[in-house]
Amino acid sequence: MDPVEFLRNHPPFDAVSESGLAHLGGALEVVYAPKNRAIMRIGDPRNDYLYVVRKGAARLEREGRLLTVLEEGDMFGFTSLLAGSSPNFDVVADDELLLYRIPREAFDRVRGEPTFNEFFV
C-alpha cells in the first residue's frame, strides 16, 4: 500500500487535506528495524521525527518496564517532538518493524490544519 493511502486510513491523518497528505508523503522516510533494535531511548538527543508503525510491533518501555505495545497505525515520538526534547520512553522493535518517519518540518506544516493539531493537544 502506498504510504499516503496508509496514512489516510489512520487517525489523525484521515483528517488531513490532500495537499497536506501529499506533503507528508513526499517528506516521509521508510525505516526498517530488526527485532529488539532500539528506535529511540530516554536520553537520546532531541527527537525530530514522528514515527508511524507501518508493519510489525514496537514496545514502549520505561526503566525496562513494558508500558504498551504499538501496532500498525500507532504513532510515537510526538510528545518529545512537540516539546523539542529528548525521548521520554524507550521504543524497541518487538519483531521486525517497518516505520514511516516524518520529519519535524513536515509534521509542523500539517499541524497547521486544526483537526490534525487538535489530536495532539
Side-chain angles (χ1 to χ4, degrees), residues 3-51:
V4 169
E5 188 63 29
F6 179 85
L7 293 176
R8 181 182 288 119
N9 290 318
H10 293 86
F13 302 100
D14 58 346
V16 173
S17 68
E18 288 302 313
S19 63
L21 284 170
H23 181 72
L24 291 174
L28 71 76
E29 303 167 354
V30 177
V31 176
Y32 167 79
K35 184 175 182 166
N36 295 321
R37 167 84 43 94
I39 294 94
M40 56 175 33
R41 294 236 184 245
I42 295 171
D44 281 352
R46 181 179 97 162
N47 175 44
D48 286 320
Y49 298 96
L50 173 68
Y51 292 87

Side-chain angles (χ1 to χ4, degrees), residues 30-33 52-57 72 95-100:
V30 177
V31 176
Y32 167 79
V52 181
V53 177
R54 172 58 185 96
K55 187 173 182 181
E72 185 175 304
D95 52 18
E96 289 190 345
L97 189 59
L98 191 63
L99 300 163
Y100 292 150

Side-chain angles (χ1 to χ4, degrees), residues 17-113:
S17 68
E18 288 302 313
S19 63
L21 284 170
H23 181 72
L24 291 174
L28 71 76
E29 303 167 354
V30 177
V31 176
Y32 167 79
K35 184 175 182 166
N36 295 321
R37 167 84 43 94
I39 294 94
M40 56 175 33
R41 294 236 184 245
I42 295 171
D44 281 352
R46 181 179 97 162
N47 175 44
D48 286 320
Y49 298 96
L50 173 68
Y51 292 87
V52 181
V53 177
R54 172 58 185 96
K55 187 173 182 181
R59 299 185 311 269
L60 192 69
E61 302 174 342
R62 181 176 281 143
E63 297 176 2
R65 291 188 331 258
L66 177 65
L67 301 175
T68 193
V69 174
L70 305 170
E71 298 177 327
E72 185 175 304
D74 289 336
M75 298 176 292
F76 63 91
F78 57 88
T79 54
S80 56
L81 185 61
L82 290 168
S85 66
S86 63
N88 302 333
F89 306 98
D90 296 331
V91 182
V92 180
D94 197 42
D95 52 18
E96 289 190 345
L97 189 59
L98 191 63
L99 300 163
Y100 292 150
R101 185 168 76 174
I102 299 170
R104 173 181 299 279
E105 178 277 326
F107 175 74
D108 286 345
R109 178 172 170 188
V110 177
R111 277 190 57 220
E113 298 190 22

